[in-house]
């Protein structure tokens, strides 16, 4: 397994193999890898004959008061996890390699990037879409793997790929969770042991929503109110948003006429955690005969 740091090197290394490769898989990450990232890599390994992973803490997707400087990094450990997961090449550029002096091009998705996280992180998806488009253009993968953990990101990237006719398939991979239900995240490392306990309120909120829908609730407002009140019962937690959206357009849904997506962002102390789940309305009973 090689670790390459420049665009030229990576392109050159892939170029030699492209002719005899049927499928190149690509897993973009910000590093500090865990079993969630590993699931993406293993899926890519199953489906592709070359697997490239990038490790790049993308500065343009962080707001001015966010955690860019303290974002956890550990390249040696990440290389070990990539090797175990069957990655062939790591791309680990620095910021100047991806955003050289004079960089002035941005990829912007409009409506979908103003929903959910976008309302609180105004430049975030512009940074994500720009870096992913750059990375797709450098690696030229046949398939790119993204986690459902970042559902809004996954759907926005699908939109970019469609709208720009990029020649690759976007593959979504289900969220990998800790045994107590908390979604794996590099940012979980910020949590103190008591905060980590308190974070359980997040998967509990998802489960409560599922339960209300299973009991037949179709209106989203009472579901959202029940989640707000559950989370308010955990003193270390503060809701940033909780919303139920159409999974394709990310427009708010008032009634569960079809499968929806519940998305939320919750601060546990100073750490912001996001999570989401599908909400499938109960099928109406079959007509009596
Ligand atoms: P990140 O390094 O946090 O930018 O994440 C890189 C990729 O891994 C993204 O596509 C994430 O959605 C995905 N990912 C992160 N955490 C998880 C998880 N717990 N389960 C599945 N995928 C994840």
């Amino acid at each position: 397994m090689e670790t390459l740091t420049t665009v030229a090197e990576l392109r050159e290394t892939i170029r030699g193999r492209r002719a005899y490769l049927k499928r190149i898989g690509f897993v973009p990450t910000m590093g500090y890898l865990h079993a969630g990232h590993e699931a993406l890599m293993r899926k890519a390994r199953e489906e592709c004959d070359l697997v490239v992973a990038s490790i790049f803490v993308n500065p343009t997707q962080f707001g001015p008061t966010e955690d860019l400087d303290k974002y956890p990094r550990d390249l040696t450990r990440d290389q070990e996890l990539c090797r175990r997961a069957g990655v062939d090449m790591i791309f680990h550029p620095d910021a100047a390699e991806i955003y050289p002096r004079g960089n002035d091009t941005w990829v912007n998705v409009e409506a979908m990037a103003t929903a959910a996280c976008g309302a609180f992180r105004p430049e975030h998806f512009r940074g994500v879409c720009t870096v992913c488009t750059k990375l797709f253009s450098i690696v030229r993968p046949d398939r790119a793997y993204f986690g459902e953990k970042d559902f809004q990101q996954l759907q926005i990237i699908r939109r970019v790929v469609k709208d720009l006719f990029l020649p690759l398939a976007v593959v979504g991979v289900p969220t990998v969770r800790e045994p107590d239900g908390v979604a794996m995240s590099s940012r979980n490392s910020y949590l103190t042991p008591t905060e980590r306990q308190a974070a359980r309120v997040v998967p509990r909120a998802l489960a409560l929503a599922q339960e209300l829908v299973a009991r037949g609730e179709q209106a989203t407002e009472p579901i959202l109110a029940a989640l707000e009140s559950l989370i308010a019962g955990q003193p270390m937690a503060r809701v940033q948003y909780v919303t139920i959206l159409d999974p394709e357009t990310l427009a708010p849904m008032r009634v569960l006429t079809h499968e929806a997506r519940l998305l939320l962002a919750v601060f546990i102390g100073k750490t912001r955690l996001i999570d989401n789940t599908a909400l499938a309305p109960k099928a109406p009973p079959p007509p009596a005969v």
Side-chain angles (χ1 to χ4, degrees):
M1 189 189 67
E2 298 143 284
T3 300
L4 305 159
T5 56
T6 68
V7 174
E9 262 178 329
L10 185 84
R11 281 200 158 144
E12 188 52 29
T13 314
I14 297 179
R15 198 174 64 86
R17 308 188 196 176
R18 206 178 289 277
Y20 62 86
L21 290 171
K22 277 215 286 291
R23 216 178 252 167
I24 299 179
F26 177 48
V27 182
T29 83
M30 298 209 298
Y32 213 67
L33 304 175
H34 50 66
H37 300 108
E38 193 175 339
L40 272 57
M41 293 167 180
R42 290 194 183 276
K43 179 111 176 126
R45 181 72 281 164
E46 266 169 47
E47 297 182 348
C48 304
D49 34 18
L50 183 83
V51 178
V52 182
S54 61
I55 297 177
F56 178 59
V57 182
N58 174 37
T60 66
Q61 70 188 69
F62 288 79
T65 61
E66 293 181 357
D67 56 344
L68 173 61
D69 292 336
K70 69 167 186 162
Y71 196 84
R73 293 159 168 91
D74 188 343
L75 183 62
T76 313
R77 201 170 132 261
D78 288 350
Q79 284 168 320
E80 190 41 47
L81 185 143
C82 287
R83 190 173 296 116
R84 229 177 37 226
V87 169
D88 297 300
M89 271 177 218
I90 296 178
F91 182 45
H92 180 54
D94 65 16
E97 185 70 14
I98 300 299
Y99 299 99
R101 189 190 291 276
N103 184 85
D104 199 22
T105 301
W106 299 96
V107 179
N108 220 8
V109 166
E110 308 230 328
M112 290 174 82
T114 60
C117 287
F120 301 92
R121 306 185 74 190
E123 307 272 88
H124 174 67
F125 289 110
R126 178 177 92 139
V128 169
C129 293
T130 301
V131 78
C132 287
T133 306
K134 283 173 180 271
L135 292 169
F136 294 160
S137 161
I138 296 165
V139 176
R140 290 170 50 209
D142 299 286
R143 291 185 180 212
Y145 296 81
F146 288 85
E148 286 183 1
K149 155 77 172 35
D150 301 278
F151 185 78
Q152 185 174 14
Q153 166 175 284
L154 167 65
Q155 297 305 74
I156 285 178
I157 294 297
R158 287 192 201 281
R159 190 76 249 167
V160 170
V161 165
K162 211 172 190 169
D163 289 350
L164 300 181
F165 302 97
L166 301 181
L168 63 117
V170 174
V171 181
V173 177
T175 303
V176 177
R177 298 179 178 279
E178 302 279 1
D180 65 356
V182 171
M184 294 212 173
S185 165
S186 309
R187 289 189 169 100
N188 290 353
S189 64
Y190 297 151
L191 300 170
T192 65
T194 24
E195 288 174 341
R196 177 60 187 76
Q197 282 286 111
R200 293 178 173 190
V201 74
V202 175
R204 285 217 311 273
L206 302 185
L208 173 60
Q210 305 270 14
E211 199 181 303
L212 294 172
V213 173
R215 275 197 243 140
E217 183 59 75
Q218 302 245 330
T220 58
E221 209 184 284
I223 301 174
L224 297 175
L227 302 194
E228 297 260 6
S229 105
L230 173 81
I231 298 167
Q234 168 49 256
M236 297 187 112
R238 181 174 63 79
V239 173
Q240 185 180 54
Y241 71 78
V242 44
T243 186
I244 296 176
L245 305 179
D246 177 283
E248 305 305 319
T249 62
L250 304 183
M253 282 173 70
R254 297 183 60 82
V255 180
L256 297 178
T257 46
H258 56 276
E259 183 170 301
R261 202 84 189 183
L262 164 71
L263 292 97
L264 48 71
V266 174
F267 281 97
I268 304 288
K270 288 199 168 93
T271 304
R272 182 177 175 277
L273 302 180
I274 58 170
D275 207 338
N276 68 87
T277 189
L279 291 180
K282 236 172 103 174
V289 277

